[in-house]
Amino acid sequence: PWRTEQSHTMMIGSTGTGKTTQMRALMAQMRVRRDRAVVFDLTGAYVEAFYNPETDTILNPMDERCPSWSVFSEAKNHADFTGIASADGGGAEPFWMLAARTLFVETCIKLIKENQATNHALASRLMMADLKAVHKMLENTVADPLTAPEAAKMAESIRAVFNTNAQALRFLPEGKEPFSICDWIRSNDKPGSILFITSS
């Protein structure tokens, strides 16, 4: 029935019982209606069956079809970057995760102010730079004490938490057609388009 795909649904079954076949049938119906969707495709099976280069987008830094996506295309201020940083799902001890989020947010704001808001700048200026350079960049921000030279061991641990959670930033393509998830959601330019998020 109309719009029921958007309600909470769970498909359970052992291998070979038809889960993938049912999902393919739902996606085929969606294509006919020209609905839009976000599809997390861990194996690449749905991309193989449904990808249309005229309308669809694949977000996967290891896929040559991936456009230039940047966190800076989705966020412009402290609140935006804090929201993005909070979506990491946790996992580490609270102090280390919160400190890593602070490094990320303050670095992004600094890069915007310096007109260097790119994935490459974020990776090179925060993830791979000498810690003294990181501290100099973040002087007079709330991240200043987290990167202080006298607390270098702590600073390196905080950065290690960030790097572990954000390593995909180093591989995101630049120089291709830019893409923004927020703009894609707001736009009606491509009815029926699918945003595939893949890992294979």
Side-chain angles (χ1 to χ4, degrees):
W2 170 241
R3 296 184 76 82
T4 53
E5 299 102 327
Q6 296 175 11
S7 47
H8 294 286
T9 306
M10 182 182 298
M11 264 193 283
I12 301 172
S14 58
T15 302
T17 56
K19 299 182 301 297
T20 301
T21 301
Q22 183 60 45
M23 282 302 299
R24 285 179 185 240
L26 286 172
M27 287 184 67
Q29 291 172 33
M30 185 206 77
R31 277 292 200 212
V32 170
R33 291 193 313 243
R34 300 187 74 193
D35 292 340
R36 292 169 45 148
V38 177
V39 176
F40 291 92
D41 186 5
L42 298 179
T43 65
Y46 298 107
V47 168
E48 187 177 323
F50 292 99
Y51 175 67
N52 177 351
E54 300 292 316
T55 59
D56 302 338
T57 301
I58 297 173
L59 282 187
N60 176 347
M62 302 307 167
D63 190 311
E64 64 183 21
R65 298 167 290 186
C66 183
S68 290
W69 177 86
S70 171
V71 67
F72 297 103
S73 299
E74 314 298 342
K76 304 297 177 209
N77 55 46
H78 271 92
D80 293 342
F81 287 112
T82 300
I84 288 171
S86 299
D88 61 27
E93 291 291 322
F95 168 79
W96 302 106
M97 189 58 71
L98 292 171
R101 290 175 186 171
T102 301
L103 277 187
F104 166 74
V105 171
E106 295 301 324
T107 300
C108 288
I109 295 299
K110 186 63 102 170
L111 291 174
I112 287 173
K113 288 178 180 174
E114 294 177 358
N115 203 25
Q116 293 189 26
T118 67
N119 296 326
H120 175 73
L122 183 57
S124 62
R125 304 265 318 266
L126 175 59
M127 301 176 80
M128 297 178 284
D130 181 79
L131 273 174
K132 289 177 184 171
V134 174
H135 178 67
K136 184 166 178 48
M137 175 180 63
L138 296 175
E139 274 183 322
N140 303 315
T141 72
V142 295
D144 185 330
L146 299 174
T147 59
E150 55 270 20
K153 192 170 182 181
M154 177 187 74
E156 198 58 72
S157 295
I158 293 168
R159 185 165 67 169
V161 170
F162 175 76
N163 286 358
T164 300
N165 286 280
Q167 56 186 314
L169 288 171
R170 296 183 301 130
F171 306 110
L172 289 167
E174 291 185 327
K176 295 182 173 184
E177 181 180 347
F179 178 78
S180 162
I181 297 170
C182 291
D183 290 348
W184 179 82
I185 291 169
R186 291 187 204 106
S187 169
N188 276 327
D189 289 350
K190 295 180 180 177
S193 65
I194 299 176
L195 173 56
F196 289 99
I197 301 175
T198 69
S199 63
S200 58

